[in-house]
Amino acid sequence: MSEPAEESADSGAAPEPPDIDLPSDAFDAVLDALSDHTPGDPLRFEGFSVAPDLRGDIDEDRYVLADGDRRTGLTEGELHEALAERAPAVTDWYAFERVVGEFGPRRAFLRWLEDADGATVATRYAALAEGIERAWGELRITATLTDRGERRYDVRHADDAGVSVDELDAHEDPLDARDLVRYDEQGRYRPLKTAPSLAGGWVFPELGPRDAYEAVETIYPATVANWHREREGELDVNHWRETMARQSGIYGVVKTWDRGEGYEHVNWVAEACCDDSQCLKRREWEYDDETDLDVDGGDGAFPCREPCSVVVSAARKWTRLESEQPRTYEFELTPSEKEQVEDIIDAVADGRIDEIREADTKEGANRYRTRFLRAKLFDGDGNLAGVPTEPDENDEE
Amino acid sequence: MQSLVIVAHGSHLNPESSAPTYDHADTIRATGAFDEVKTGFWKEEPHFREVLRTVEGDEIYVVPLFVSEGYFTEQVIPRELRLDGWDVAEWDSDGLSADQATLVAEDIDREVHYCGPVGTHRAMTDVIVRRAESVTGDPDVGDDFGLAVVGHGTERNENSAKAIEYHADRIAERDRFDEVRALYMDEDPEVDDLPEFFESDDVVLVPLFIADGYHTQEDIPEDVGLCEDYTEGYDVPTEVDGTRIWYAGAVGTEPLMADVVLERAADAGADLGAALDDVRETTRVATGD
C-alpha cells in the first residue's frame, strides 16, 4: 500500500465493497461466542443477529438468524453458508470484538481511523479497499483490508506519503519505533517525542490492528490515551498553577515565579515551548481554571493536559533568571547592528541557523556577519561593547 | 491480565539514559510472564503522570528502576502516579527493606502494586557480581581480584550509601573476591583514591548506577584517573598507581538486571512461571566453550 489512493475521487457512484472470504478464525469466534451466549441476548452484527436455536431436543447445535426475517433450525454448515454471504459484517465484528478488544484507547483509535462509529460496513470496506488515510502528528496512517476482512495499517512519516515501501526502511515490530524517534534528521537527541522533528525514511508497511496502535503509542506516547479521554469528556487537565504547586526538590522553586502579578510569564513560556512549531500537542492547560492564557494552544489532533517535564525544567531556569532585576546598560549600535541582533535572536528562536547560507551576508544571522559583529563589539572578556555585566566588575580585583 | 510497568528517570539530554529500561523491558517481554510490559519516565515519555493510562491490565506491578530508596521512590513516583493514600510508612523500611505497597492509582481507579527499587533488592548483589564477570569476560572472576562497589554517598540521600554497603558486605561474605570495598563519589572512602584501598593488582570497579551518563562516563573515569579527559576514552583495564582497574560502567546496563525487576514483581505477588529461570539463563556470561 504505497500508492496514494486518488482515483476514487473521480467516480461519482458509491464505491463497491470488495469481496470478502469468511476466514475460519472469524467463524470459530462466532461459534465460540454463541456457546457462551446469554439467552435473550443474540450476537449482533450489522444488519442481522444470530443466536442458538434452543427449541426442542435436537442433538446437534442449531442456530437462529434474524435479519428482518427469521431463519430457525440452521445447522452449523447452514450457519456458515449464511455468514459467508455476510462476510463483511462478520469480519468487522471479529476485527473489533476479538482482535482489537475492549481496551478503550486502542479500540476508539482504530474505530476512528475508519470512522467505524459513523459509516456502514459496506461504505468502510469500500473505503478500506482504496485505503483510508489519517494524520496523527507527523504520521500518515493508511488503513487497508485483506480479502479476509483483516485490517492492515501502513504507518510512516507524512513526508514519505506516496514513497514506495522498497525505498523506505521497513519494520515489523512496533517497538522498533523507539529507535526511530530518538534522533532528528540531523542526529540530535529528541527529548520531546511530540516535537515536530520526527525523522522519516522508515515504514511499518503492514501492521495488524494491535501493533498499529502500539506503533503510534510508541512514537507519540500516551497521545491516544489522552485523545480518548478527551473524546469521552474525561480529560484531566492540570493547569500551570496546580502543576507548579505540585513540584518539589529542585523544581519546587518554580511556584515562586507566580507572584500574583498576572500570568504574562506563562504566556511567554507557552509561546516559547508549546507553539505548534515546537510541539504537536494541542495545549489544553491554562494559567489556572479561571484564567486562560493569551496565546494559541495549537491545532494538534491530541491534547496536552499539563505542562510537561521539558516545560517544568525550562521554567526552573526561567524562575531563577527572571528573579533578576533589570538594569540600564548603555551600548552604541548602528541601526543595522540593532537589527542584526534582532535577526540573530529570530534565527535561533525559529531554528533557522542551518538554513542560512555561508556566504549570504544579507542575512543578519549569517555566520560571517555575526563573527564580524563579535570582532567589532566584544572586548577581550566577551563583554558586548566593552560594557561589563556587573556594574562594579571593573572595580574588582 | 498481568501488567508490568518499569519506571525510570530518563533524561532530556542523554539519549542513552532510557536504553537499559527498554532493554530490560524487552528481556522480560520475551519471557511472556506478563501480558504487557510498559515503561514510564520522569524526564521522557510516557511520563510517570501518564504511563498508567496506557496500561490495560488489572493486576499491575510498578517497579522503580532506581538504585536506592529516597526522594524518587518515596515522593516523586507515588505522587506522580497518584497513589491514593501513599505514605512512606507503607513500606515500613529501614532504608533497604521496601518491598511493596498495594494502593489505588487515582489516575485509573485501579489498584497497583508499588514495589521497592531494584537497587536494594538482594538479587542486585548477583547483578554486581555478574557485571564483574562481564567486564572481565571471566565467569569465575574473583581469585586475585578486588571488587569496588561505588555510589554517590550520603550527600543527597543517606540510603544511597546503605545500598552500596549492603551489597558490598554480601559479596564479601561470599569469599569470592580477595577484597571488597564500598567507595563513594562525595565522601570517604572516596573512589578517587581507589588504589590506596586495595592490595590486589586487579580491581573491578562497579558503579551502582542505573544508566550510563555524566556520573559513570565522565565523573568517575576522570576522578579515578582512568583518563585525563573523558572524551579521550580509556582502556579496560587501565593501570592507575600500580592497580589494574577494570571499569564496568553502570551496573544497570547489565542484562541480569531484568532478573531483579522480576524478583521485585514476584515479591509483590506476580505470577511469573519459569520467567526467573529463563532470564538467569539467557543473560549468562558466555564461558567460551
Side-chain angles (χ1 to χ4, degrees):
Chain A
M1 261 325 294
S2 53
E3 297 303 314
E6 286 169 355
E7 302 91 284
S8 59
D10 52 34
S11 65
E16 282 292 307
D19 288 332
I20 299 293
D21 294 326
L22 181 66
S24 58
D25 48 2
F27 182 64
D28 290 346
V30 171
L31 293 182
D32 194 44
L34 288 170
S35 69
D36 288 338
H37 154 268
T38 311
D41 186 19
L43 202 54
R44 293 174 204 282
F45 304 88
E46 185 185 283
F48 67 99
S49 65
V50 177
D53 190 341
L54 302 170
R55 300 165 309 144
D57 48 0
I58 309 163
D59 286 344
E60 62 176 311
D61 293 334
R62 296 293 175 109
Y63 302 95
V64 185
L65 187 148
D67 60 357
D69 292 331
R70 193 175 155 81
R71 293 169 59 190
T72 59
L74 295 178
T75 64
E76 186 178 310
E78 289 165 337
L79 178 66
H80 185 272
E81 196 178 322
L83 295 185
E85 289 166 9
R86 296 165 174 80
V90 178
T91 53
D92 191 59
W93 170 87
Y94 178 65
F96 285 107
E97 301 308 319
R98 290 296 180 271
V99 179
V100 173
E102 287 179 9
F103 184 52
R106 179 172 60 225
R107 185 181 175 90
F109 181 72
L110 293 165
R111 290 184 73 79
W112 169 79
L113 283 180
E114 59 183 79
D115 192 21
D117 296 316
T120 63
V121 172
T123 305
R124 281 188 282 127
Y125 273 38
L128 285 166
E130 299 282 334
I132 299 176
E133 293 186 340
R134 290 281 202 177
W136 191 261
E138 290 185 279
L139 295 179
R140 168 74 54 103
I141 305 166
T142 308
T144 55
L145 198 66
T146 70
D147 59 9
R148 291 156 52 88
E150 302 150 319
R151 273 66 169 175
R152 289 291 177 265
Y153 302 85
D154 176 298
V155 179
R156 58 175 70 192
H157 196 293
D159 291 349
D160 295 325
V163 177
S164 158
V165 168
D166 298 339
E167 294 173 37
L168 298 169
D169 185 12
H171 296 266
E172 291 178 12
D173 183 350
L175 290 173
D176 286 357
R178 293 182 305 204
D179 296 325
L180 305 176
V181 302
R182 191 168 297 137
Y183 300 99
D184 68 11
E185 293 277 7
Q186 294 170 284
R188 295 175 303 196
Y189 177 52
R190 299 174 68 238
L192 182 65
K193 300 283 206 308
T194 45
S197 57
L198 184 66
W202 48 268
V203 62
F204 293 89
E206 42 179 24
L207 294 172
R210 283 176 169 256
D211 283 351
Y213 166 78
E214 206 63 51
V216 171
E217 275 279 287
T218 304
I219 294 165
Y220 294 129
T223 56
V224 176
N226 286 328
W227 165 88
H228 177 241
R229 285 198 179 197
E230 186 178 50
R231 274 165 56 106
E232 301 287 307
E234 294 170 355
L235 185 68
D236 49 332
V237 174
N238 292 121
H239 298 293
W240 169 274
R241 290 220 43 167
E242 55 196 303
T243 301
M244 298 313 152
R246 191 179 84 227
Q247 302 304 318
S248 59
I250 60 172
Y251 301 106
V253 69
V254 182
K255 58 177 82 71
T256 67
W257 198 12
D258 299 330
R259 301 197 186 95
E261 298 166 1
Y263 56 92
E264 195 176 27
H265 58 301
V266 186
N267 280 336
W268 297 332
V269 171
E271 186 175 328
C273 302
C274 309
D275 185 80
D276 278 351
S277 66
Q278 306 301 306
C279 177
L280 297 168
K281 285 191 278 192
R282 170 173 30 83
R283 181 179 51 75
E284 289 297 318
W285 56 266
E286 306 288 353
Y287 181 61
D288 59 28
D289 58 7
E290 292 173 351
T291 318
D292 285 357
L293 298 180
D294 303 322
V295 293
D296 186 45
D299 300 319
F302 34 83
C304 174
R305 42 167 299 283
E306 69 177 34
C308 69
S309 73
V310 175
V311 165
V312 173
S313 293
R316 173 185 174 230
K317 186 70 182 173
W318 284 315
T319 301
R320 298 213 184 279
L321 298 177
E322 290 294 295
S323 68
E324 296 177 7
Q325 292 305 309
R327 292 177 190 168
T328 302
Y329 292 99
E330 208 170 297
F331 305 105
E332 286 208 333
L333 301 176
T334 67
S336 292
E337 285 167 350
K338 173 188 174 283
E339 287 180 356
Q340 192 188 347
V341 170
E342 292 158 357
D343 286 346
I344 292 167
I345 292 172
D346 274 339
V348 173
D350 295 334
R352 286 198 312 115
I353 294 297
D354 292 332
E355 295 165 19
I356 297 171
R357 291 167 296 176
E358 187 152 331
D360 188 358
T361 51
K362 290 195 298 297
E363 286 274 2
N366 167 268
R367 196 171 74 238
Y368 295 135
R369 287 275 308 276
T370 307
R371 290 177 65 82
F372 182 91
L373 192 70
R374 182 173 68 177
K376 176 182 171 187
L377 293 183
F378 282 21
D379 67 10
D381 296 324
N383 285 312
L384 179 62
V387 177
T389 302
E390 298 296 331
D392 52 357
E393 207 168 277
N394 284 344
D395 304 334
E396 289 173 4
E397 286 292 300
Chain B
M1 186 172 169
Q2 188 168 265
S3 309
L4 175 66
V5 182
I6 305 175
V7 290
H9 193 284
S11 171
H12 289 158
L13 301 173
N14 171 12
E16 290 306 309
S17 178
S18 55
T21 311
Y22 291 147
D23 289 345
H24 305 321
D26 287 347
T27 302
I28 292 168
R29 208 173 273 122
T31 69
F34 290 89
D35 296 296
E36 59 181 347
V37 180
K38 299 283 184 183
T39 52
F41 299 93
W42 173 232
K43 294 287 192 179
E44 297 180 36
E45 298 145 285
H47 192 268
F48 294 160
R49 287 286 278 182
E50 298 183 349
V51 65
L52 289 179
R53 63 188 63 195
T54 71
V55 174
E56 186 175 0
D58 47 13
E59 196 66 35
I60 302 170
Y61 297 87
V62 177
V63 177
L65 208 58
F66 283 78
V67 291
S68 54
E69 293 177 29
Y71 176 59
F72 278 99
T73 61
E74 293 171 1
Q75 290 185 49
V76 174
I77 299 170
R79 179 187 75 211
E80 301 291 286
L81 294 179
R82 284 167 267 186
L83 302 182
D84 189 26
W86 163 258
D87 185 316
V88 67
E90 298 268 350
W91 269 346
D92 188 25
S93 174
D94 60 6
L96 290 172
S97 60
D99 48 10
Q100 74 106 26
T102 303
L103 296 159
V104 171
E106 286 173 2
D107 187 35
I108 51 173
D109 201 25
R110 271 176 281 162
E111 270 188 354
V112 305
H113 303 284
Y114 178 51
C115 303
V118 289
T120 56
H121 195 278
R122 62 189 179 285
M124 190 71 202
T125 308
D126 297 332
V127 183
I128 296 169
V129 173
R130 176 73 68 84
R131 190 78 196 147
E133 296 172 8
S134 298
V135 72
T136 56
D138 178 2
D140 300 313
V141 64
D143 281 348
D144 301 325
F145 267 77
L147 175 69
V149 186
V150 176
H152 256 301
T154 56
E155 193 171 282
R156 279 170 58 183
N157 173 9
E158 63 168 324
N159 289 334
S160 164
K162 281 187 190 171
I164 306 289
E165 277 162 34
Y166 170 73
H167 295 299
D169 288 349
R170 278 169 51 89
I171 296 168
E173 284 165 16
R174 296 178 184 184
D175 279 337
R176 172 171 173 161
F177 293 87
D178 287 5
E179 308 166 88
V180 182
R181 300 273 182 275
L183 302 179
Y184 304 98
M185 295 176 65
D186 54 20
E187 69 180 64
D188 288 332
E190 278 198 33
V191 69
D192 306 32
D193 307 319
L194 184 142
E196 291 178 20
F197 299 108
F198 286 90
E199 291 174 14
S200 311
D201 291 337
D202 289 279
V203 175
V204 183
L205 195 173
V206 180
L208 196 69
F209 285 84
I210 293 297
D212 276 318
Y214 173 70
H215 289 305
T216 64
Q217 290 175 323
E218 303 178 26
D219 246 7
I220 299 178
E222 289 179 9
D223 287 354
V224 174
L226 301 178
C227 51
E228 286 284 318
D229 182 324
Y230 76 94
T231 57
E232 297 162 6
Y234 48 83
D235 294 325
V236 178
T238 290
E239 189 163 320
V240 178
D241 296 339
T243 304
R244 270 189 303 277
I245 299 177
W246 301 70
Y247 184 60
V251 69
T253 61
E254 181 63 34
L256 185 62
M257 276 292 284
D259 173 73
V260 189
V261 176
L262 284 171
E263 296 272 5
R264 277 291 182 208
D267 291 350
D271 177 9
L272 300 183
L276 283 169
D277 292 337
D278 286 354
V279 166
R280 283 188 198 142
E281 189 57 35
T282 57
T283 61
R284 288 173 76 84
V285 176
T287 53
D289 51 37

